[in-house]
Amino acid sequence: MKIASDNYCDLSDTAYFVDSVKVPWGLTLSQARDLVKEDRQALQAYGGGPNYRGQCREAFGFKATEVNIIAPAEDCPVLQVNYNLSPPDLKSQLVEPEFWVKSISKSMGPPVKESKRTSYRIDPSQSWRVIYNARWMKGNISVTLSTSGGYRENEVGAISIAGLFIDWKNEVQFAEPYLDKIKEVENSLVISNPKELVSEIINIGKKQKPYYIADYALQNPHATANDSALRRAQRALRSPLLFDTPQKLSNLMNDSSILIWQPENRDDFVVSTKWDSVFFSKDSGKNKISWFNILPAKGSGGMSLSVNELSIDDFHSSKTLSILVGKLSIYQNKDIQCAKDYDF
């Protein structure tokens, strides 16, 4: 069996590499792009969020075809770096996960979780399928290796058979510089008589949830929901318009409560769940709102409302959520249109 070069760069939480370019963890996506884009062909960026995708010949001693560097925003720290890895021998009809696992384990120790590690034959019809998967943890990073059933070819003809995914896990550390601005907003809100707002609370049909990102690599993927520091960090990095609902109001609300209110020292309104709040402007041009009613077909349907990064969900055709939207329309002096479809 061919083994990866002994001169591989250590997988660590100090830096990652794009070929020979060392990129310190903590740089923003914009900064990382500026470091690595020189003399490198950029590839079409993936949809769904800010990222830089470019050709890459080597990743930690392994032959590679491309790298994808991902962050919540251009001016936010990179949280994930992914590499497509080449087969060690294009003539071989076998995929041997041990080739990559042995070298990664030199740096990371044994995997904390993996599927059955065995050689298997390449099947072009199974190129979409992940056959082997392993995960390592070290310091502030998580590393995942996956191998596919057959070769995958990108738009420039480069062939890959495996993926290496590196995730930064200490989001509390990276969010620290972004929290002061949010704390300043939270501390500036004035509410002299919170109980006067009780009559304005709308209780919709579904229980809402605090903003958090589930981590399905954990035994309890939803543990973040009860970790206020991590939840605030995730929110600051990914949805920076959101802030904590003032405790005076949160104490008056339940899991289904939605409240539109106006701080005494602000022209703008605030839309709040029990946990999360966002400003809502009287100027409709400053608001970003989407309202969907998904009618049941194959699924049960549902109604969703997004107000400046605050997401609210209810059962389809919800009357109470429609009342809430009606109030928002009045406050911004512009109707909010509902898009309809069927839950196929």
Side-chain angles (χ1 to χ4, degrees), residues 31-233:
Q31 291 169 330
R33 180 190 285 108
D34 287 344
L35 265 184
V36 306
K37 70 181 181 181
E38 193 75 22
D39 299 324
R40 189 177 311 283
Q41 181 179 345
L43 301 174
Q44 181 64 46
Y46 290 126
N51 66 93
Y52 168 78
R53 182 170 169 249
Q55 288 187 310
C56 177
R57 298 176 299 277
E58 182 183 4
F60 303 97
F62 305 125
K63 292 180 182 178
T65 62
E66 63 182 71
V67 63
N68 191 28
I69 303 173
I70 305 168
E74 287 287 333
D75 60 350
C76 276
V78 170
L79 296 180
Q80 187 177 65
V81 184
N82 302 334
Y83 303 87
N84 284 7
L85 304 179
S86 306
D89 182 358
L90 271 171
K91 296 179 181 179
S92 176
Q93 294 300 306
L94 290 177
V95 179
E96 300 178 83
E98 180 70 10
F99 171 78
W100 297 281
V101 173
K102 185 171 182 178
S103 287
I104 295 172
S105 295
K106 285 182 181 179
S107 174
M108 303 283 292
V112 295
K113 186 177 181 181
E114 70 173 321
S115 56
K116 185 177 181 181
R117 193 191 314 172
T118 183
S119 303
Y120 59 90
R121 295 192 66 81
I122 290 171
D123 181 351
S125 70
Q126 297 293 306
S127 61
W128 56 272
R129 184 181 169 200
V130 172
I131 304 297
Y132 172 81
N133 186 269
R135 182 170 180 256
W136 293 259
M137 294 290 297
K138 183 178 182 180
N140 292 309
I141 61 169
S142 163
V143 175
T144 302
L145 170 75
S146 66
T147 66
S148 58
Y151 294 142
R152 299 178 181 181
E153 183 176 350
N154 68 11
E155 65 265 40
V156 294
I159 303 296
S160 63
I161 192 66
L164 188 67
F165 308 91
I166 309 176
D167 291 273
W168 180 268
K169 307 305 291 185
N170 190 349
E171 294 173 301
V172 173
Q173 176 183 333
F174 278 0
E176 188 173 348
Y178 301 85
L179 291 175
D180 285 346
K181 185 177 179 180
I182 297 172
K183 291 176 183 176
E184 185 178 334
V185 168
E186 293 169 342
N187 293 335
S188 73
L189 301 174
V190 177
I191 317 165
S192 297
N193 298 299
K195 290 186 178 179
E196 290 182 357
L197 295 170
V198 170
S199 62
E200 299 297 318
I201 293 174
I202 296 175
N203 289 309
I204 62 174
K206 268 191 176 182
K207 291 183 177 180
Q208 303 303 292
K209 296 178 181 178
Y211 179 98
Y212 71 95
I213 305 299
D215 186 349
Y216 291 97
L218 301 178
Q219 188 172 1
N220 177 10
H222 305 286
T224 306
N226 298 313
D227 186 334
S228 59
L230 179 53
R231 194 175 74 80
R232 278 175 66 83

